[in-house]
Amino acid sequence: MEGLRDLYRFRDFDHFIEVWILTTNALRTEDDFRRIVVDYAEEAARHGAVYIEGIFSPIERTWRGVRWEDIFEGYCSGAEQAKELHGVEVRLTPDITRGAEPEDGIELAGQAAAYRDRAIVGVGLGGEEALHPPEKFVEAFRLVRDAGLGSVPHAGEVVGPASIWGAMDALQADRIRHGIRAVEDPELMEELAARQIVLDVTPISNLRTGVVRSLEEHPLPELIAAGIPCTVSTDDPEMFDTDLTREYEAIASLGIHPRELYEAAVQGALCDEATRAELAQIGADYEWSGLAVGAGERLAEDAAGLPAALEEH
């Protein structure tokens, strides 16, 4: 266990990617992928989650000989069982690996389209942001849009505004994972607010990888003040030693009320309108007035019961 703790003390974002690849390469079978979804849904439900959009990265698994069918069947079966066993709605957004060839991205887009009736609702882009700009995968994301799936790339975490502009303009992003470095470009901030593009923000992950120096310096309050809708999520919870409760504690200490994050999540969710209406009703029925803002200790007592329509990473 001590060795694992040392492994997860990330020197920087690149070190995190190395560890992420090392650990996820242990996943090999259809049942492995199914169990991940079911087990995480059980954990997230304990923190109040009602809707999850989960990310998985299949391309690197196929490089090690795992079949596309085993990966997608496992994850999609897990999403179905998560609802049956734990009452959590799970949708899935497989990531294109930035270090892959454009042809791999095109193949993933086709696989995702084939499973769009089994919980797949969008396609993302993840990995080494500094080495592979969004424009590399324009053709793959054109196929994603043609299939009626959402575009949800990572951008603006390690690389600044140029990456976010690329995600918006080249990949036609519906939501952007992270996006926090938009604060470096006032014009970009205005554009995100005007288009109402939701940012999926992960405060504790940003601390662990050194993207921000301290929670007090996190740009989330500035993004929200600019009129940009934001959610809060956990990124890779095991690797960053976090969970939904701790993320809510973090945002409460910044003076942000969870209701506006919940409403932004409902706004940006890639679900059908019936599910969106159900999520909106859960938010309308919840007694938000009992939550303290600016006092993480109080919110920690309540967070396990918070409804969370969150884009889980």
Side-chain angles (χ1 to χ4, degrees), residues 227-310:
I228 300 169
C230 297
T231 74
V232 67
S233 193
T234 58
D235 210 331
D236 295 278
E238 291 298 320
M239 293 189 180
F240 295 123
D241 189 27
T242 189
D243 52 45
L244 285 172
T245 297
R246 279 179 273 188
E247 297 291 341
Y248 272 116
E249 290 174 2
I251 63 102
S253 72
L254 296 174
I256 300 168
H257 200 286
R259 180 167 191 167
E260 57 189 314
L261 299 168
Y262 182 88
E263 291 173 349
V266 174
Q267 173 185 335
L270 301 176
C271 60
D272 57 90
E273 290 308 310
T275 300
R276 195 186 315 280
E278 291 176 10
L279 295 173
Q281 191 61 52
I282 290 170
D285 292 342
Y286 188 78
E287 185 52 59
W288 299 99
S289 61
L291 299 179
V293 176
E297 294 81 8
R298 167 65 187 279
L299 191 57
E301 298 172 4
D302 299 320
L306 283 171
L310 297 170

Side-chain angles (χ1 to χ4, degrees), residues 143-175:
L143 297 175
V144 167
R145 302 306 298 249
D146 288 348
L149 298 171
S151 169
V152 283
H154 290 66
E157 180 184 17
V158 176
V159 177
S163 179
I164 303 172
W165 282 114
M168 289 197 304
D169 295 336
L171 305 187
Q172 299 295 296
D174 295 290
R175 284 202 326 270

